[in-house]
Amino acid sequence: MDNSPTALFDSYEQDFQQLVQSIREKLDGDAKEQQGEQRKAALRRVELELDEADEMVSQMEIEIQGIPQSLKPSYQARLKTAKSDLQRYKKLSKDLHAQLSRMDLLGRSSPGLAGSASDDPYAASNDRTRLLAGTALLEDGSRRLLDSQRIALETEEQGADILRSLRGQREQIVNARDTLQRADTSIDRASGTLKKMIRRMYQQRIVTAAIIVVLIVLILFILWAKLWR
């Protein structure tokens, strides 16, 4: 397993590129060439993949916080490119949705156009009402999309705050571990010093005892020499 600081970013970027490729193929293929329900289904699949791609970008933004400063500029440029691609395909998907909605509205109103000119003087007004209703629906969808983007950004900021907090706690743990290691080293040194002092004390005792023994022997020898000679 790759434990480099850029491994997760690279993995998310690879998943993002695969999603973008799939979205591009659908927008250039089924979303334009198909009609009716097949086209709607293709656009729904595109929306799901856009949501996944948006999640990948959010993950990339979180992972870039932990990339070393020496590597960060190039990865920030790659993240900016990914965001630009995502926004471009979101706009294209939105345009295709709007086009499909207009086609649906015109398709529902067109069967009555021939008879409305002669039989229903209010047909044009009804068509205009339908178009206005469709426009209102599109605007409501746009507002919901903006709300979703805002929530995603807030979630991203919260994730970044949590990541920074975890990084600070990790630094505190590392500092505490280093302090314990230094304390352990100091204890080992003190223990070695005490052992040396104890060893020297025993050596001094032995030397002192030897000197006393020699002195006693000399005294006894002197006494023996004076008393027996």
Side-chain angles (χ1 to χ4, degrees):
M1 181 178 180
D2 189 355
N3 293 323
S4 65
T6 63
L8 284 176
F9 184 98
D10 293 336
S11 176
Y12 288 131
E13 185 182 31
Q14 183 178 2
D15 293 341
F16 174 80
Q17 294 298 335
Q18 292 176 354
L19 286 170
V20 166
Q21 178 64 27
S22 177
I23 292 169
R24 183 187 301 114
E25 292 175 355
K26 288 182 176 63
L27 291 177
D28 292 339
D30 295 341
K32 287 185 178 180
E33 297 173 357
Q34 300 294 338
Q35 299 295 329
E37 291 301 322
Q38 292 180 344
R39 189 175 186 181
K40 291 180 180 179
L43 288 176
R44 283 195 293 269
R45 290 194 295 271
V46 167
E47 287 296 326
L48 292 175
E49 291 184 346
L50 283 172
D51 290 340
E52 292 182 20
D54 201 355
E55 178 64 22
M56 291 299 102
V57 170
S58 298
Q59 294 295 332
M60 289 161 65
E61 289 180 328
I62 293 174
E63 291 302 325
I64 203 172
Q65 302 296 326
I67 293 178
Q69 290 295 332
S70 59
L71 301 176
K72 188 172 289 187
S74 62
Y75 280 86
Q76 287 176 334
R78 289 160 62 176
L79 178 60
K80 183 177 180 181
T81 300
K83 286 183 177 181
S84 177
D85 291 341
L86 180 61
Q87 292 302 320
R88 178 160 54 89
Y89 286 111
K90 280 184 177 181
K91 183 178 183 303
L92 181 57
S93 175
K94 182 179 177 181
D95 292 341
L96 289 175
H97 272 292
Q99 181 182 355
L100 181 61
S101 298
R102 287 194 297 271
M103 290 176 62
D104 287 342
L105 289 172
L106 292 175
R108 286 196 297 268
S109 61
S110 60
L113 289 177
S116 63
S118 57
D119 300 331
D120 188 2
Y122 301 102
S125 176
N126 290 335
D127 292 341
R128 185 172 181 273
T129 301
R130 292 192 187 97
L131 288 174
L132 290 174
T135 303
L137 287 174
L138 289 176
E139 291 177 351
D140 183 61
S142 298
R143 284 194 297 270
R144 291 181 180 179
L145 181 60
L146 291 174
D147 289 339
S148 298
Q149 291 177 344
R150 178 180 54 80
I151 293 172
L153 289 175
E154 291 176 354
T155 303
E156 172 191 338
E157 292 177 357
Q158 293 176 357
D161 290 339
I162 292 173
L163 185 63
R164 285 192 292 270
S165 177
L166 290 175
R167 186 175 294 110
Q169 294 176 6
R170 178 185 177 187
E171 291 176 353
Q172 291 177 356
I173 293 172
V174 171
N175 292 334
R177 184 186 63 186
D178 293 339
T179 302
L180 288 175
Q181 288 178 348
R182 288 193 295 269
D184 187 47
T185 302
S186 299
I187 291 172
D188 289 340
R189 290 177 180 174
S191 177
T193 302
L194 287 174
K195 288 179 180 179
K196 289 179 181 180
M197 293 174 65
I198 292 172
R199 188 164 53 249
R200 289 177 181 176
M201 181 186 68
Y202 283 129
Q203 289 174 353
Q204 290 175 355
R205 286 185 178 181
I206 292 172
V207 171
T208 302
I211 293 172
I212 292 172
V213 169
V214 170
L215 289 174
I216 292 173
V217 170
L218 287 174
I219 292 170
L220 291 174
F221 178 75
I222 293 170
L223 291 173
W224 176 81
K226 288 184 177 183
L227 293 174
W228 297 97
R229 288 186 181 183

